Amino acid sequence: MTETSQPTPPSNRRWVKIVLVVSLALNLAVLGVVAGGLIARHRAMDAPPMIERALAPLGLRLYARAMDAEDRRAVIDAARDRRADLAAGRSALREHFAALAGALRAEPFDPAAVAAALADQRRAAGRQLALGQDILVDRIAAMPRERRLDFAARIEAALDRRR
């Protein structure tokens, strides 16, 4: 006996394809919006976070945000040239933190030892801050007047954003 094939009615495959294409398009649109937002956020940042972390121990975070890329690079290079001084300062701060931890554990507890450890930390941090300020002053002194004025305006804008 011979079988005759009957034409099958059109299936819902066409609708499935349309739904899959629309779903893919929506997913790509969402991905594009998210990626665009991340890129825009990154571009809107005044200073890359890594540079901020590098300059924060020197007390230069706000200034790094206010600097243009060329000035930030120059400050980073100047800090890199003083890396031995910076490393010594970080080492001193670590030692003072260890001394503070020891003073906190001591029995009997001696508030004067804690105060002395904190005073040592303050002096070490002050040396780091002074080093950062020296680097900053050198960079500012190298700026032409217009760049200094722009820098001042960006500092004021950064302060206004913090209010």
Side-chain angles (χ1 to χ4, degrees), residues 36-79:
L38 290 173
I39 290 169
R41 180 173 175 237
H42 177 71
R43 286 183 180 164
M45 297 174 105
D46 294 321
M50 185 174 74
I51 291 175
E52 282 189 29
R53 283 194 305 271
L55 298 178
L58 298 174
L60 301 179
R61 182 178 301 207
L62 180 118
Y63 302 112
R65 288 180 178 172
M67 288 178 188
D68 62 23
E70 180 182 340
D71 290 324
R72 273 195 302 271
R73 175 59 32 216
V75 168
I76 290 289
D77 291 344

Coordinates of all heavy atoms in Angstrom, one line a residue, residues 36-79:
G36 N 26.3 51.2 27.8 CA 26.4 52.7 27.6 C 26.4 53.4 28.9 O 27.2 54.4 29.0
G37 N 25.6 53.0 29.8 CA 25.6 53.7 31.1 C 27.0 53.5 31.8 O 27.5 54.4 32.5
L38 N 27.5 52.3 31.8 CA 28.8 52.1 32.4 C 29.9 52.9 31.7 O 30.8 53.5 32.4 CB 29.2 50.6 32.4 CG 28.4 49.7 33.2 CD1 28.7 48.2 33.0 CD2 28.6 50.0 34.7
I39 N 29.9 53.0 30.4 CA 30.9 53.8 29.7 C 30.8 55.2 30.0 O 31.7 55.9 30.3 CB 30.8 53.5 28.2 CG1 31.3 52.1 27.9 CG2 31.6 54.5 27.4 CD1 31.0 51.6 26.5
A40 N 29.5 55.7 30.0 CA 29.3 57.1 30.4 C 29.7 57.5 31.8 O 30.3 58.5 32.0 CB 27.8 57.5 30.2
R41 N 29.4 56.6 32.7 CA 29.8 56.8 34.1 C 31.3 56.8 34.2 O 31.9 57.7 34.9 CB 29.3 55.6 35.0 CG 29.6 55.8 36.4 CD 28.9 54.8 37.3 NE 29.4 54.9 38.6 CZ 29.9 53.9 39.3 NH1 30.0 52.7 38.7 NH2 30.4 54.1 40.5
H42 N 32.0 55.9 33.5 CA 33.5 55.9 33.6 C 34.0 57.2 33.0 O 35.0 57.8 33.6 CB 34.0 54.7 32.8 CG 35.5 54.6 32.7 ND1 36.3 54.3 33.8 CD2 36.4 54.9 31.7 CE1 37.5 54.4 33.5 NE2 37.6 54.7 32.2
R43 N 33.5 57.7 31.9 CA 34.0 58.9 31.3 C 33.7 60.1 32.1 O 34.4 61.1 32.1 CB 33.4 59.1 29.9 CG 34.0 58.2 28.9 CD 33.4 58.4 27.5 NE 34.0 57.5 26.5 CZ 33.5 57.3 25.4 NH1 32.4 58.0 25.0 NH2 34.1 56.5 24.5
A44 N 32.6 60.0 32.9 CA 32.2 61.2 33.7 C 33.1 61.3 35.0 O 33.1 62.3 35.6 CB 30.7 61.1 34.1
M45 N 33.7 60.2 35.3 CA 34.6 60.3 36.5 C 35.7 61.3 36.3 O 36.3 61.3 35.2 CB 35.1 58.9 36.9 CG 34.1 57.9 37.2 SD 34.8 56.3 37.4 CE 34.7 56.2 39.2
D46 N 36.0 62.1 37.3 CA 37.1 63.1 37.2 C 38.4 62.5 37.2 O 39.4 63.0 36.5 CB 37.0 64.1 38.3 CG 35.7 64.9 38.2 OD1 35.3 65.3 37.0 OD2 35.1 65.2 39.2
A47 N 38.6 61.4 37.9 CA 39.9 60.8 37.9 C 39.7 59.3 38.1 O 38.8 58.8 38.8 CB 40.7 61.2 39.1
P48 N 40.4 58.5 37.4 CA 40.3 57.0 37.5 C 40.5 56.6 39.0 O 41.4 57.2 39.7 CB 41.4 56.5 36.6 CG 41.7 57.5 35.7 CD 41.4 58.8 36.4
P49 N 39.8 55.7 39.5 CA 39.9 55.2 40.9 C 41.3 54.8 41.3 O 41.8 55.1 42.4 CB 38.9 54.1 41.0 CG 38.0 54.3 39.9 CD 38.7 54.9 38.8
M50 N 42.0 54.2 40.4 CA 43.4 53.8 40.7 C 44.3 55.0 41.0 O 45.1 54.9 41.9 CB 44.0 52.9 39.5 CG 45.4 52.4 39.9 SD 46.0 51.3 38.6 CE 46.4 52.5 37.3
I51 N 44.1 56.0 40.2 CA 44.9 57.2 40.5 C 44.5 57.9 41.8 O 45.4 58.3 42.5 CB 44.8 58.2 39.3 CG1 45.5 57.6 38.0 CG2 45.4 59.6 39.6 CD1 45.3 58.4 36.8
E52 N 43.2 57.9 42.1 CA 42.8 58.4 43.3 C 43.4 57.6 44.5 O 43.9 58.2 45.5 CB 41.3 58.3 43.4 CG 40.6 59.4 42.7 CD 39.1 59.4 43.0 OE1 38.7 59.0 44.1 OE2 38.3 59.8 42.1
R53 N 43.4 56.3 44.4 CA 44.0 55.5 45.5 C 45.5 55.8 45.6 O 46.0 55.8 46.7 CB 43.7 54.0 45.2 CG 42.3 53.6 45.5 CD 42.2 52.1 45.6 NE 42.7 51.4 44.4 CZ 41.9 51.1 43.4 NH1 40.7 51.5 43.4 NH2 42.4 50.5 42.3
A54 N 46.1 56.0 44.5 CA 47.6 56.3 44.5 C 47.9 57.6 45.2 O 48.9 57.7 45.9 CB 48.2 56.2 43.1
L55 N 47.0 58.6 45.0 CA 47.3 59.9 45.5 C 46.6 60.2 46.8 O 47.0 61.1 47.5 CB 46.9 61.0 44.5 CG 47.6 60.9 43.1 CD1 47.1 61.9 42.2 CD2 49.1 61.1 43.4
A56 N 45.7 59.4 47.3 CA 45.0 59.6 48.5 C 45.9 59.6 49.7 O 45.8 60.5 50.6 CB 43.9 58.5 48.7
P57 N 46.9 58.7 49.8 CA 47.8 58.8 51.0 C 48.6 60.1 51.1 O 49.1 60.4 52.1 CB 48.7 57.6 50.9 CG 48.0 56.6 49.9 CD 47.2 57.5 49.0
L58 N 48.7 60.7 50.0 CA 49.4 62.0 49.9 C 48.5 63.2 50.2 O 48.9 64.3 50.1 CB 50.2 62.2 48.6 CG 51.2 61.1 48.3 CD1 51.7 61.3 46.9 CD2 52.3 61.2 49.3
G59 N 47.2 62.9 50.4 CA 46.3 64.0 50.6 C 45.9 64.7 49.4 O 45.5 65.9 49.4
L60 N 46.0 64.0 48.2 CA 45.8 64.7 46.9 C 44.5 64.2 46.2 O 44.4 64.5 45.0 CB 47.0 64.5 46.0 CG 48.3 65.0 46.6 CD1 49.5 64.7 45.6 CD2 48.2 66.5 46.9
R61 N 43.7 63.5 46.9 CA 42.5 62.9 46.2 C 41.6 63.9 45.5 O 41.3 63.9 44.4 CB 41.7 62.1 47.2 CG 40.5 61.4 46.5 CD 39.7 60.6 47.5 NE 40.6 59.6 48.0 CZ 40.2 58.4 48.4 NH1 39.0 58.1 48.4 NH2 41.1 57.5 48.9
L62 N 41.2 65.0 46.3 CA 40.4 66.0 45.7 C 41.1 66.7 44.6 O 40.5 67.0 43.5 CB 39.9 67.0 46.8 CG 39.0 68.1 46.2 CD1 37.7 68.1 46.9 CD2 39.7 69.5 46.4
Y63 N 42.4 66.9 44.8 CA 43.1 67.6 43.7 C 43.3 66.8 42.5 O 43.2 67.3 41.4 CB 44.5 68.0 44.2 CG 44.5 68.9 45.5 CD1 44.9 68.4 46.7 CD2 43.9 70.2 45.4 CE1 44.8 69.2 47.8 CE2 43.8 71.0 46.5 CZ 44.3 70.5 47.7 OH 44.2 71.3 48.8
A64 N 43.4 65.5 42.7 CA 43.5 64.6 41.5 C 42.2 64.6 40.7 O 42.2 64.6 39.5 CB 43.8 63.1 42.0
R65 N 41.1 64.7 41.4 CA 39.8 64.8 40.7 C 39.7 66.1 39.9 O 39.0 66.1 38.9 CB 38.7 64.7 41.7 CG 38.5 63.3 42.2 CD 37.3 63.3 43.2 NE 37.1 61.9 43.7 CZ 36.3 61.6 44.7 NH1 35.6 62.6 45.3 NH2 36.2 60.4 45.1
A66 N 40.3 67.1 40.4 CA 40.2 68.4 39.8 C 41.2 68.6 38.7 O 41.1 69.5 37.9 CB 40.3 69.5 40.8
M67 N 42.2 67.8 38.6 CA 43.3 68.0 37.6 C 42.9 67.4 36.3 O 42.1 66.5 36.2 CB 44.6 67.2 38.0 CG 45.3 67.8 39.2 SD 46.7 66.8 39.6 CE 47.2 67.6 41.1
D68 N 43.4 67.9 35.2 CA 43.2 67.3 33.9 C 44.2 66.1 33.8 O 45.0 65.9 34.7 CB 43.4 68.3 32.8 CG 44.8 68.9 32.7 OD1 45.8 68.3 33.1 OD2 44.9 70.0 32.1
A69 N 44.0 65.3 32.8 CA 44.8 64.1 32.7 C 46.3 64.3 32.6 O 47.1 63.6 33.2 CB 44.3 63.3 31.4
E70 N 46.7 65.4 31.9 CA 48.1 65.7 31.8 C 48.7 66.0 33.2 O 49.8 65.5 33.6 CB 48.4 66.8 30.9 CG 49.8 67.2 30.7 CD 50.0 68.4 29.8 OE1 49.1 68.7 29.0 OE2 51.1 69.0 29.9
D71 N 48.0 66.8 34.0 CA 48.5 67.2 35.3 C 48.5 66.0 36.3 O 49.5 65.8 37.0 CB 47.7 68.3 35.9 CG 48.0 69.6 35.2 OD1 49.1 69.8 34.8 OD2 47.0 70.4 35.0
R72 N 47.5 65.1 36.2 CA 47.4 63.9 37.0 C 48.6 63.0 36.7 O 49.3 62.5 37.6 CB 46.1 63.2 36.8 CG 45.0 63.6 37.7 CD 43.9 62.6 37.7 NE 43.3 62.3 36.4 CZ 42.3 63.0 35.8 NH1 41.7 64.0 36.4 NH2 41.9 62.6 34.6
R73 N 48.9 62.9 35.4 CA 50.0 62.0 35.0 C 51.3 62.6 35.5 O 52.2 61.9 36.0 CB 50.1 61.9 33.4 CG 51.2 61.2 32.9 CD 51.4 59.8 33.3 NE 50.3 59.0 33.5 CZ 50.2 58.1 34.5 NH1 51.3 57.8 35.2 NH2 49.1 57.4 34.7
A74 N 51.5 63.9 35.5 CA 52.7 64.6 35.9 C 52.9 64.4 37.5 O 54.0 64.1 38.0 CB 52.7 66.1 35.6
V75 N 51.8 64.5 38.2 CA 51.8 64.3 39.6 C 52.2 62.8 40.0 O 53.0 62.5 40.8 CB 50.5 64.7 40.3 CG1 50.4 64.3 41.7 CG2 50.4 66.2 40.2
I76 N 51.6 61.9 39.2 CA 51.9 60.5 39.4 C 53.3 60.2 39.1 O 54.0 59.5 39.9 CB 51.0 59.6 38.5 CG1 49.5 59.6 39.0 CG2 51.5 58.2 38.5 CD1 49.3 58.9 40.3
D77 N 53.9 60.8 38.1 CA 55.3 60.6 37.7 C 56.2 61.2 38.8 O 57.2 60.6 39.2 CB 55.6 61.2 36.4 CG 55.0 60.5 35.2 OD1 54.5 59.3 35.4 OD2 54.9 61.1 34.1
A78 N 55.8 62.4 39.3 CA 56.6 63.0 40.4 C 56.6 62.1 41.7 O 57.6 61.9 42.4 CB 56.1 64.4 40.7
A79 N 55.4 61.6 42.0 CA 55.3 60.7 43.1 C 56.1 59.4 42.9 O 56.8 58.9 43.8 CB 53.8 60.3 43.4

